[in-house]
Amino acid sequence: MDRGAERGVRAILSSGVVLAAIVALSLLGHLPPSAKPVIASLTHFSADRALDTLHRILGPDAPHPVGSGPNDAVRIQIVDELARFGYQPQVQTAFACSELGTCATVTNVLARLDGTEQGSGAVLLAAHYDSVPSSSGDSDDGTGVAVVLEIARVLKFSSHPRHSIILLLDDGEEAGLLGARAFVDSHPWAREVRAAVNVDARGTSGPSLLFETGSANGWAVRLYAQSVARPATSSIFYDVYKRLPNDTDFTIFKSAGYQGLNFAFIGDEPHYHTRLDNSANVSLPSLQHQGENALATVVALANSDLSNLQPTESVFFDLFGRKTIHWPARKTLLFAVLAAIFLLGQLIWLVLSKRLALAEFLAGLLAWLVIMVAVAVLAFILRHVMDIAGATPVNWIAHPLAIKIAFALMAIAIVVLLGAWFVRRAEFWGLWGGIWAWWSVLSIVAAAKAPALSYIVVVPTCVAALFGLPATVPRRSLSVLCVMAVILPLAVAAIVGAPPLLLLYDALGNRSLILVSLSVGLIFSPFAPLCSDLRSARGIHNLMVRWIPILATALAAFAAIVVPAYSAKSPERVNIQYAQDADSGQARWIVQPDSGRMPDPLNLATTFHRADDGAFPWDSHTSFVSSAPHLDLAAPTFTILDSSQADGRRNYTALLRSERGAPFAAALFPPNTDVESVRVQGRPVELQGSVARRYFNGWAIYSCADMPPMGVQISFSLPLGRPVEIRSVDRSYGLPAEGQFLLNSRPLTATPSQDGDVTIVSRRVQLFP
């Protein structure tokens, strides 16, 4: 091997070591801190103390959805804890409805610590205490409640803040953010609030992420950067979350005009909303991190100026979990343009000094484009292969490491192979110039269209423009300077790109795999010029650089296929229903596996047939249906109490009631019914049409999640002359005794989730307006 090839191998190995170190530092930087013990200073947040509080509040692991007896018991414990800390807790009871038509009577618990400047605004610290019916909710959001209560205790030992701090433990979040709506709409303290800190969870482990802010983004991030010791955040999280159909109580606070910060941890997503969200799986480090972040930001907000919060956007990210880098988003385009001008000047100088031919530059431009297209195409093919091979039956699998490595290494292999091929035509400076020319274009476009995302390309491009100067300006380039012109911006690309990339799977699951490949391909693409010295490499060195990434990709892909997709600790979500039609008397067992594939033990229990369009007209989930015995279950009633005619429509008042005492009941109107002016218990309900169509096949559903024994009144209007067949449905949690054989057949690698196993009774109601 000649000296050039030896130098190239050393440079490649050096860049590999640098990148590996950056990934390791990114992983270590986002590890939550160790839990502080019970004996920690009373002015510090202690996860051990918070955990003790959590155990007192929740008691034995048991679901406590809105309106349930266990939920009442949790609320009583919360009130007792606040009183024990010296607060005077209030209880707010209100009827609230969501934009999906779910209503309930919610009971919020509130307390406050008055500030030294009365009337100057207040800061809200919030978490919800209800759970979904299938989970005890120790992490979602028992840990949030424990955080609020431990902070409430700490605040009593701290100096009085400038602004009052309001503590809100709200009810009915899982039913549709109902407690937060009730607070914002009708509690007098809500009018004082200027900023809010919300703590929630979408998993049971991981760092406490700042993933959402209010519109005064620059102000909030600046306070976060000044106050939080172990930041874990990115404006990418904020931008992506805005585009997802996800909500927390912070959605309600933002709609009310509150500024502030939203925190959550998202590790171990398969535990989310299942029986595995229990006391055994609470992560003390995650609890500590969540508490430290919430305490620091609440105190910072309470001592800040809340008088004039201007809506401004900021670009921000944390550096190895130790420092938050941020700047006004409006400056990002300027940075991108200046970097592009610097790079353009260097490219012109390289051409004038005859170190770069136009053909070589064009080959470099083509190389980057071919690399990124190849990564996209092969990632799509690999994802399809994984689907066919059964490696990705659900969005979050039990052992995702192998599949994540496969998609990342595949992108690296393509960069190395195509970089080595194109270097024959583009040479070093052709590849360097072509790649960074594309990065400059991406920087300008991203800065103009999506500044929150743009730092991933803008920051490395700026570094390339600056550190390329020592290598490009002299008429004779020193090899070490050329290597530095590659490795330094490559390292910066990894520094800013690795943290969000490492969290992509936790956030989006298998949906992120193609994006993982594209991100790795983009971040690693500046490596390609280092292949220029490999043309004379032979034997083991050629094998090591060019083919080991391919072999490693193949091995990782094989491992992803052979490892099980589910385990007892990461089970598939499989709900079982008993559904009875009161009109026909027919009853069915319905199994809804998240994968769309029936678990074998359940399939052997009885004869099922597949219903790809769902078991009900308003349900699009793939289901498996079998006949079930008829049971003596009273059907829900939908009784017309009053009707009148006006303006071409008929106005109705009806009573929806569960005759068997089910906690949930609903009135369902078919698509294109043109139902209007709906009120539940006198409260107007306006559905989000697009959301209803997406989730319920166009059906308009008005429900009560804590159905009282006397029922609820629903008023509505329908156009004259169009008969309508309404469905009244009620739902109770758990299966009848006759379904025990199915419960016994469900494997340990499957678990109920969300509403869990339920018994449903439905009836048709004909209306002739």
Side-chain angles (χ1 to χ4, degrees), residues 417-474:
L417 285 177
L418 290 180
W421 191 84
F422 271 100
V423 78
R424 302 171 185 174
R425 294 155 180 79
E427 299 293 339
F428 177 90
W429 287 118
L431 273 180
W432 187 89
I435 287 169
W436 287 111
W438 275 112
W439 275 68
S440 296
V441 172
L442 285 178
S443 296
I444 292 172
V445 172
K449 299 296 184 181
L453 302 172
S454 65
Y455 77 85
I456 289 288
V457 286
V458 171
V459 174
T461 304
C462 290
V463 173
L466 289 175
F467 288 92
L469 288 172
T472 57
V473 170

Short mmCIF file of all heavy atoms in Angstrom, two decimals, residues 417-474:
data_model
loop_
_atom_site.label_atom_id
_atom_site.label_comp_id
_atom_site.label_asym_id
_atom_site.label_seq_id
_atom_site.Cartn_x
_atom_site.Cartn_y
_atom_site.Cartn_z
N LEU A 417 -19.06 3.47 -0.56
CA LEU A 417 -18.93 2.84 -1.88
C LEU A 417 -19.04 3.86 -3.01
O LEU A 417 -18.21 3.90 -3.93
CB LEU A 417 -19.98 1.75 -2.05
CG LEU A 417 -19.73 0.44 -1.29
CD1 LEU A 417 -20.90 -0.51 -1.50
CD2 LEU A 417 -18.43 -0.19 -1.76
N LEU A 418 -20.07 4.70 -2.95
CA LEU A 418 -20.26 5.68 -4.03
C LEU A 418 -19.22 6.78 -3.96
O LEU A 418 -18.79 7.31 -5.00
CB LEU A 418 -21.67 6.26 -3.97
CG LEU A 418 -22.79 5.28 -4.34
CD1 LEU A 418 -24.15 5.94 -4.25
CD2 LEU A 418 -22.57 4.71 -5.74
N GLY A 419 -18.78 7.13 -2.74
CA GLY A 419 -17.71 8.12 -2.63
C GLY A 419 -16.43 7.61 -3.27
O GLY A 419 -15.75 8.35 -4.00
N ALA A 420 -16.09 6.34 -3.04
CA ALA A 420 -14.89 5.75 -3.64
C ALA A 420 -15.02 5.66 -5.16
O ALA A 420 -14.03 5.81 -5.89
CB ALA A 420 -14.65 4.36 -3.05
N TRP A 421 -16.25 5.44 -5.63
CA TRP A 421 -16.44 5.35 -7.09
C TRP A 421 -16.36 6.72 -7.75
O TRP A 421 -15.70 6.90 -8.77
CB TRP A 421 -17.78 4.71 -7.38
CG TRP A 421 -17.96 4.33 -8.82
CD1 TRP A 421 -17.52 3.19 -9.43
CD2 TRP A 421 -18.59 5.12 -9.84
NE1 TRP A 421 -17.85 3.21 -10.77
CE2 TRP A 421 -18.52 4.39 -11.05
CE3 TRP A 421 -19.22 6.35 -9.85
CZ2 TRP A 421 -19.04 4.86 -12.24
CZ3 TRP A 421 -19.75 6.83 -11.05
CH2 TRP A 421 -19.65 6.09 -12.23
N PHE A 422 -16.99 7.73 -7.16
CA PHE A 422 -17.04 9.06 -7.77
C PHE A 422 -15.72 9.81 -7.62
O PHE A 422 -15.45 10.75 -8.38
CB PHE A 422 -18.17 9.89 -7.16
CG PHE A 422 -19.48 9.73 -7.86
CD1 PHE A 422 -20.45 8.89 -7.35
CD2 PHE A 422 -19.75 10.42 -9.05
CE1 PHE A 422 -21.67 8.73 -7.99
CE2 PHE A 422 -20.95 10.26 -9.69
CZ PHE A 422 -21.93 9.42 -9.18
N VAL A 423 -14.89 9.43 -6.65
CA VAL A 423 -13.65 10.17 -6.44
C VAL A 423 -12.72 10.05 -7.65
O VAL A 423 -11.87 10.90 -7.88
CB VAL A 423 -12.95 9.68 -5.15
CG1 VAL A 423 -12.22 8.37 -5.36
CG2 VAL A 423 -12.01 10.75 -4.62
N ARG A 424 -12.90 9.00 -8.45
CA ARG A 424 -12.08 8.85 -9.66
C ARG A 424 -12.38 9.95 -10.66
O ARG A 424 -11.53 10.31 -11.47
CB ARG A 424 -12.35 7.50 -10.30
CG ARG A 424 -12.07 6.31 -9.38
CD ARG A 424 -12.57 5.03 -10.00
NE ARG A 424 -12.42 3.89 -9.08
CZ ARG A 424 -12.88 2.68 -9.32
NH1 ARG A 424 -13.53 2.43 -10.47
NH2 ARG A 424 -12.69 1.72 -8.44
N ARG A 425 -13.58 10.48 -10.63
CA ARG A 425 -13.99 11.51 -11.58
C ARG A 425 -13.97 12.90 -10.96
O ARG A 425 -13.73 13.88 -11.65
CB ARG A 425 -15.41 11.21 -12.08
CG ARG A 425 -15.47 9.94 -12.92
CD ARG A 425 -16.85 9.32 -12.93
NE ARG A 425 -16.87 8.10 -13.74
CZ ARG A 425 -16.40 6.92 -13.34
NH1 ARG A 425 -15.88 6.81 -12.13
NH2 ARG A 425 -16.44 5.88 -14.13
N ALA A 426 -14.25 12.97 -9.66
CA ALA A 426 -14.37 14.28 -9.03
C ALA A 426 -13.10 14.70 -8.30
O ALA A 426 -12.92 15.89 -8.04
CB ALA A 426 -15.54 14.27 -8.06
N GLU A 427 -12.24 13.77 -7.95
CA GLU A 427 -11.07 14.05 -7.11
C GLU A 427 -11.52 14.64 -5.76
O GLU A 427 -12.70 14.78 -5.49
CB GLU A 427 -10.09 14.99 -7.83
CG GLU A 427 -9.52 14.43 -9.12
CD GLU A 427 -8.62 13.22 -8.89
OE1 GLU A 427 -8.11 13.05 -7.75
OE2 GLU A 427 -8.43 12.43 -9.83
N PHE A 428 -10.56 14.97 -4.92
CA PHE A 428 -10.88 15.41 -3.56
C PHE A 428 -11.70 16.69 -3.58
O PHE A 428 -12.77 16.76 -2.96
CB PHE A 428 -9.57 15.63 -2.78
CG PHE A 428 -9.80 16.16 -1.39
CD1 PHE A 428 -9.98 15.30 -0.33
CD2 PHE A 428 -9.84 17.53 -1.14
CE1 PHE A 428 -10.20 15.79 0.96
CE2 PHE A 428 -10.05 18.03 0.13
CZ PHE A 428 -10.23 17.15 1.19
N TRP A 429 -11.20 17.72 -4.26
CA TRP A 429 -11.88 19.01 -4.20
C TRP A 429 -13.20 19.01 -4.95
O TRP A 429 -14.12 19.76 -4.61
CB TRP A 429 -10.98 20.12 -4.72
CG TRP A 429 -9.87 20.46 -3.77
CD1 TRP A 429 -8.53 20.35 -3.98
CD2 TRP A 429 -10.02 20.96 -2.44
NE1 TRP A 429 -7.81 20.73 -2.88
CE2 TRP A 429 -8.71 21.12 -1.90
CE3 TRP A 429 -11.11 21.26 -1.64
CZ2 TRP A 429 -8.48 21.57 -0.61
CZ3 TRP A 429 -10.88 21.73 -0.36
CH2 TRP A 429 -9.59 21.88 0.15
N GLY A 430 -13.32 18.17 -5.96
CA GLY A 430 -14.60 18.06 -6.66
C GLY A 430 -15.68 17.52 -5.74
O GLY A 430 -16.80 18.04 -5.68
N LEU A 431 -15.33 16.45 -4.99
CA LEU A 431 -16.29 15.90 -4.03
C LEU A 431 -16.57 16.89 -2.90
O LEU A 431 -17.72 17.11 -2.50
CB LEU A 431 -15.77 14.59 -3.45
CG LEU A 431 -16.08 13.31 -4.23
CD1 LEU A 431 -15.48 12.11 -3.52
CD2 LEU A 431 -17.57 13.13 -4.38
N TRP A 432 -15.51 17.48 -2.35
CA TRP A 432 -15.69 18.43 -1.24
C TRP A 432 -16.57 19.59 -1.67
O TRP A 432 -17.53 19.96 -0.99
CB TRP A 432 -14.32 18.93 -0.78
CG TRP A 432 -14.36 19.78 0.47
CD1 TRP A 432 -14.26 19.34 1.75
CD2 TRP A 432 -14.48 21.19 0.54
NE1 TRP A 432 -14.33 20.40 2.63
CE2 TRP A 432 -14.47 21.55 1.91
CE3 TRP A 432 -14.62 22.21 -0.41
CZ2 TRP A 432 -14.58 22.87 2.34
CZ3 TRP A 432 -14.72 23.53 0.01
CH2 TRP A 432 -14.70 23.85 1.38
N GLY A 433 -16.25 20.17 -2.83
CA GLY A 433 -17.02 21.32 -3.29
C GLY A 433 -18.44 20.96 -3.66
O GLY A 433 -19.39 21.70 -3.33
N GLY A 434 -18.63 19.82 -4.34
CA GLY A 434 -19.99 19.43 -4.74
C GLY A 434 -20.88 19.15 -3.55
O GLY A 434 -22.05 19.56 -3.52
N ILE A 435 -20.33 18.45 -2.56
CA ILE A 435 -21.13 18.10 -1.37
C ILE A 435 -21.51 19.35 -0.60
O ILE A 435 -22.68 19.54 -0.23
CB ILE A 435 -20.35 17.11 -0.48
CG1 ILE A 435 -20.33 15.74 -1.14
CG2 ILE A 435 -20.96 17.03 0.92
CD1 ILE A 435 -19.39 14.74 -0.50
N TRP A 436 -20.54 20.24 -0.36
CA TRP A 436 -20.88 21.42 0.44
C TRP A 436 -21.68 22.44 -0.35
O TRP A 436 -22.40 23.27 0.25
CB TRP A 436 -19.61 22.04 1.03
CG TRP A 436 -19.10 21.18 2.15
CD1 TRP A 436 -17.96 20.44 2.16
CD2 TRP A 436 -19.74 20.94 3.40
NE1 TRP A 436 -17.84 19.74 3.33
CE2 TRP A 436 -18.93 20.03 4.13
CE3 TRP A 436 -20.93 21.38 3.98
CZ2 TRP A 436 -19.27 19.58 5.40
CZ3 TRP A 436 -21.27 20.93 5.24
CH2 TRP A 436 -20.45 20.05 5.93
N ALA A 437 -21.63 22.38 -1.67
CA ALA A 437 -22.55 23.22 -2.46
C ALA A 437 -23.99 22.80 -2.22
O ALA A 437 -24.88 23.64 -2.04
CB ALA A 437 -22.19 23.12 -3.95
N TRP A 438 -24.23 21.48 -2.21
CA TRP A 438 -25.58 20.99 -1.91
C TRP A 438 -25.99 21.35 -0.49
O TRP A 438 -27.14 21.74 -0.24
CB TRP A 438 -25.63 19.47 -2.10
CG TRP A 438 -25.88 19.04 -3.52
CD1 TRP A 438 -25.02 18.40 -4.36
CD2 TRP A 438 -27.08 19.22 -4.25
NE1 TRP A 438 -25.59 18.17 -5.58
CE2 TRP A 438 -26.88 18.66 -5.54
CE3 TRP A 438 -28.31 19.80 -3.97
CZ2 TRP A 438 -27.86 18.67 -6.52
CZ3 TRP A 438 -29.29 19.82 -4.96
CH2 TRP A 438 -29.06 19.25 -6.21
N TRP A 439 -25.08 21.20 0.46
CA TRP A 439 -25.40 21.56 1.84
C TRP A 439 -25.76 23.05 1.94
O TRP A 439 -26.65 23.43 2.70
CB TRP A 439 -24.21 21.26 2.75
CG TRP A 439 -24.17 19.83 3.23
CD1 TRP A 439 -23.94 18.72 2.48
CD2 TRP A 439 -24.36 19.37 4.57
NE1 TRP A 439 -23.98 17.58 3.26
CE2 TRP A 439 -24.22 17.95 4.55
CE3 TRP A 439 -24.61 20.00 5.77
CZ2 TRP A 439 -24.35 17.17 5.70
CZ3 TRP A 439 -24.73 19.22 6.94
CH2 TRP A 439 -24.61 17.83 6.89
N SER A 440 -25.08 23.89 1.16
CA SER A 440 -25.40 25.32 1.17
C SER A 440 -26.80 25.57 0.66
O SER A 440 -27.56 26.38 1.23
CB SER A 440 -24.39 26.09 0.30
OG SER A 440 -23.10 26.00 0.84
N VAL A 441 -27.16 24.88 -0.41
CA VAL A 441 -28.53 25.02 -0.95
C VAL A 441 -29.55 24.57 0.09
O VAL A 441 -30.57 25.24 0.34
CB VAL A 441 -28.67 24.23 -2.25
CG1 VAL A 441 -30.13 24.21 -2.71
CG2 VAL A 441 -27.78 24.83 -3.34
N LEU A 442 -29.29 23.39 0.68
CA LEU A 442 -30.20 22.89 1.72
C LEU A 442 -30.31 23.86 2.88
O LEU A 442 -31.40 24.08 3.44
CB LEU A 442 -29.72 21.53 2.22
CG LEU A 442 -29.93 20.32 1.31
CD1 LEU A 442 -29.33 19.08 1.97
CD2 LEU A 442 -31.41 20.10 1.04
N SER A 443 -29.19 24.47 3.27
CA SER A 443 -29.19 25.40 4.39
C SER A 443 -30.08 26.60 4.11
O SER A 443 -30.88 27.02 4.97
CB SER A 443 -27.76 25.88 4.69
OG SER A 443 -26.95 24.82 5.11
N ILE A 444 -29.95 27.16 2.92
CA ILE A 444 -30.75 28.34 2.59
C ILE A 444 -32.23 27.99 2.51
O ILE A 444 -33.09 28.70 3.05
CB ILE A 444 -30.25 28.94 1.25
CG1 ILE A 444 -28.85 29.52 1.44
CG2 ILE A 444 -31.21 30.01 0.76
CD1 ILE A 444 -28.19 29.96 0.15
N VAL A 445 -32.55 26.86 1.87
CA VAL A 445 -33.95 26.45 1.76
C VAL A 445 -34.54 26.16 3.14
O VAL A 445 -35.64 26.60 3.48
CB VAL A 445 -34.09 25.22 0.83
CG1 VAL A 445 -35.51 24.68 0.87
CG2 VAL A 445 -33.69 25.59 -0.59
N ALA A 446 -33.79 25.40 3.94
CA ALA A 446 -34.29 25.04 5.27
C ALA A 446 -34.43 26.27 6.16
O ALA A 446 -35.41 26.41 6.90
CB ALA A 446 -33.36 24.02 5.92
N ALA A 447 -33.46 27.17 6.10
CA ALA A 447 -33.53 28.38 6.92
C ALA A 447 -34.73 29.24 6.53
O ALA A 447 -35.33 29.90 7.39
CB ALA A 447 -32.24 29.18 6.78
N ALA A 448 -35.08 29.24 5.25
CA ALA A 448 -36.22 30.05 4.80
C ALA A 448 -37.55 29.38 5.10
O ALA A 448 -38.52 30.05 5.46
CB ALA A 448 -36.09 30.31 3.29
N LYS A 449 -37.61 28.05 4.97
CA LYS A 449 -38.89 27.34 5.08
C LYS A 449 -39.12 26.71 6.45
O LYS A 449 -40.27 26.65 6.91
CB LYS A 449 -38.97 26.25 4.01
CG LYS A 449 -38.91 26.76 2.58
CD LYS A 449 -40.10 27.63 2.24
CE LYS A 449 -40.07 28.06 0.78
NZ LYS A 449 -41.23 28.93 0.43
N ALA A 450 -38.09 26.22 7.09
CA ALA A 450 -38.24 25.52 8.38
C ALA A 450 -37.03 25.81 9.25
O ALA A 450 -36.19 24.93 9.47
CB ALA A 450 -38.41 24.02 8.16
N PRO A 451 -36.93 27.04 9.77
CA PRO A 451 -35.73 27.39 10.54
C PRO A 451 -35.51 26.53 11.76
O PRO A 451 -34.36 26.31 12.16
CB PRO A 451 -35.99 28.86 10.92
CG PRO A 451 -37.45 29.09 10.71
CD PRO A 451 -37.85 28.17 9.62
N ALA A 452 -36.56 26.03 12.38
CA ALA A 452 -36.39 25.19 13.57
C ALA A 452 -35.63 23.91 13.25
O ALA A 452 -34.92 23.37 14.09
CB ALA A 452 -37.75 24.85 14.18
N LEU A 453 -35.78 23.40 12.03
CA LEU A 453 -35.08 22.19 11.60
C LEU A 453 -33.71 22.49 11.00
O LEU A 453 -32.86 21.60 10.91
CB LEU A 453 -35.92 21.44 10.55
CG LEU A 453 -37.33 21.00 10.93
CD1 LEU A 453 -38.04 20.47 9.70
CD2 LEU A 453 -37.30 19.94 11.99
N SER A 454 -33.51 23.72 10.57
CA SER A 454 -32.40 24.04 9.67
C SER A 454 -31.02 23.94 10.29
O SER A 454 -30.03 23.78 9.58
CB SER A 454 -32.59 25.45 9.11
OG SER A 454 -32.49 26.42 10.15
N TYR A 455 -30.93 24.03 11.62
CA TYR A 455 -29.58 24.06 12.21
C TYR A 455 -28.79 22.79 11.92
O TYR A 455 -27.55 22.80 11.93
CB TYR A 455 -29.66 24.32 13.72
CG TYR A 455 -30.08 23.14 14.57
CD1 TYR A 455 -29.15 22.20 15.00
CD2 TYR A 455 -31.40 22.96 14.96
CE1 TYR A 455 -29.53 21.12 15.80
CE2 TYR A 455 -31.79 21.90 15.75
CZ TYR A 455 -30.84 20.98 16.18
OH TYR A 455 -31.22 19.92 16.96
N ILE A 456 -29.49 21.69 11.65
CA ILE A 456 -28.81 20.44 11.32
C ILE A 456 -27.89 20.62 10.11
O ILE A 456 -26.81 20.00 10.02
CB ILE A 456 -29.86 19.34 11.03
CG1 ILE A 456 -30.56 18.93 12.31
CG2 ILE A 456 -29.21 18.13 10.39
CD1 ILE A 456 -29.71 18.13 13.26
N VAL A 457 -28.28 21.45 9.15
CA VAL A 457 -27.44 21.68 7.97
C VAL A 457 -26.72 23.03 8.01
O VAL A 457 -25.63 23.16 7.47
CB VAL A 457 -28.28 21.56 6.67
CG1 VAL A 457 -28.61 20.13 6.37
CG2 VAL A 457 -29.56 22.39 6.74
N VAL A 458 -27.33 24.03 8.66
CA VAL A 458 -26.73 25.36 8.66
C VAL A 458 -25.43 25.38 9.46
O VAL A 458 -24.41 25.92 9.01
CB VAL A 458 -27.73 26.40 9.23
CG1 VAL A 458 -27.03 27.75 9.43
CG2 VAL A 458 -28.91 26.57 8.29
N VAL A 459 -25.44 24.80 10.67
CA VAL A 459 -24.24 24.85 11.52
C VAL A 459 -23.05 24.14 10.86
O VAL A 459 -21.95 24.72 10.77
CB VAL A 459 -24.55 24.27 12.92
CG1 VAL A 459 -23.28 24.18 13.75
CG2 VAL A 459 -25.59 25.13 13.62
N PRO A 460 -23.18 22.90 10.36
CA PRO A 460 -22.02 22.27 9.69
C PRO A 460 -21.57 23.03 8.46
O PRO A 460 -20.36 23.08 8.16
CB PRO A 460 -22.55 20.88 9.30
CG PRO A 460 -23.67 20.62 10.26
CD PRO A 460 -24.31 21.94 10.48
N THR A 461 -22.51 23.62 7.71
CA THR A 461 -22.13 24.38 6.52
C THR A 461 -21.31 25.60 6.90
O THR A 461 -20.31 25.93 6.22
CB THR A 461 -23.38 24.81 5.73
OG1 THR A 461 -24.16 23.65 5.40
CG2 THR A 461 -23.01 25.53 4.46
N CYS A 462 -21.68 26.28 7.99
CA CYS A 462 -20.89 27.42 8.46
C CYS A 462 -19.49 26.97 8.85
O CYS A 462 -18.49 27.65 8.55
CB CYS A 462 -21.59 28.08 9.64
SG CYS A 462 -23.11 28.96 9.22
N VAL A 463 -19.39 25.83 9.53
CA VAL A 463 -18.07 25.32 9.94
C VAL A 463 -17.24 24.94 8.71
O VAL A 463 -16.04 25.22 8.64
CB VAL A 463 -18.25 24.11 10.87
CG1 VAL A 463 -16.91 23.44 11.16
CG2 VAL A 463 -18.91 24.55 12.18
N ALA A 464 -17.88 24.31 7.73
CA ALA A 464 -17.16 23.96 6.49
C ALA A 464 -16.64 25.21 5.79
O ALA A 464 -15.51 25.23 5.27
CB ALA A 464 -18.07 23.16 5.56
N ALA A 465 -17.47 26.26 5.76
CA ALA A 465 -17.06 27.51 5.10
C ALA A 465 -15.87 28.14 5.81
O ALA A 465 -14.96 28.68 5.16
CB ALA A 465 -18.24 28.47 5.08
N LEU A 466 -15.83 28.06 7.16
CA LEU A 466 -14.74 28.68 7.91
C LEU A 466 -13.47 27.84 7.88
O LEU A 466 -12.38 28.34 7.61
CB LEU A 466 -15.18 28.92 9.35
CG LEU A 466 -16.23 30.01 9.56
CD1 LEU A 466 -16.66 30.06 11.01
CD2 LEU A 466 -15.67 31.37 9.14
N PHE A 467 -13.61 26.55 8.16
CA PHE A 467 -12.42 25.70 8.28
C PHE A 467 -11.96 25.14 6.94
O PHE A 467 -10.93 24.46 6.89
CB PHE A 467 -12.70 24.57 9.27
CG PHE A 467 -12.76 25.04 10.69
CD1 PHE A 467 -13.97 25.40 11.27
CD2 PHE A 467 -11.60 25.16 11.44
CE1 PHE A 467 -14.02 25.85 12.57
CE2 PHE A 467 -11.65 25.61 12.74
CZ PHE A 467 -12.87 25.97 13.32
N GLY A 468 -12.71 25.45 5.89
CA GLY A 468 -12.19 25.14 4.57
C GLY A 468 -11.16 26.15 4.10
O GLY A 468 -10.32 25.84 3.24
N LEU A 469 -11.18 27.35 4.70
CA LEU A 469 -10.27 28.42 4.25
C LEU A 469 -8.80 28.04 4.35
O LEU A 469 -8.05 28.27 3.39
CB LEU A 469 -10.55 29.70 5.07
CG LEU A 469 -11.86 30.43 4.74
CD1 LEU A 469 -12.10 31.54 5.75
CD2 LEU A 469 -11.79 30.99 3.33
N PRO A 470 -8.33 27.47 5.47
CA PRO A 470 -6.89 27.14 5.54
C PRO A 470 -6.44 26.15 4.47
O PRO A 470 -5.27 26.15 4.08
CB PRO A 470 -6.73 26.53 6.94
CG PRO A 470 -7.87 27.08 7.73
CD PRO A 470 -9.00 27.19 6.75
N ALA A 471 -7.36 25.33 3.98
CA ALA A 471 -7.01 24.33 2.97
C ALA A 471 -7.19 24.86 1.56
O ALA A 471 -6.47 24.44 0.64
CB ALA A 471 -7.84 23.07 3.17
N THR A 472 -8.15 25.76 1.36
CA THR A 472 -8.45 26.21 0.00
C THR A 472 -7.68 27.45 -0.42
O THR A 472 -7.37 27.63 -1.59
CB THR A 472 -9.95 26.50 -0.14
OG1 THR A 472 -10.32 27.48 0.86
CG2 THR A 472 -10.78 25.24 0.05
N VAL A 473 -7.34 28.34 0.53
CA VAL A 473 -6.72 29.61 0.16
C VAL A 473 -5.28 29.44 -0.33
O VAL A 473 -4.89 30.01 -1.35
CB VAL A 473 -6.79 30.61 1.34
CG1 VAL A 473 -5.93 31.84 1.06
CG2 VAL A 473 -8.24 31.02 1.58
N PRO A 474 -4.41 28.65 0.39
CA PRO A 474 -3.04 28.46 -0.16
C PRO A 474 -3.08 27.80 -1.53
O PRO A 474 -3.94 26.97 -1.80
CB PRO A 474 -2.39 27.53 0.89
CG PRO A 474 -3.19 27.72 2.13
CD PRO A 474 -4.60 27.94 1.66
#
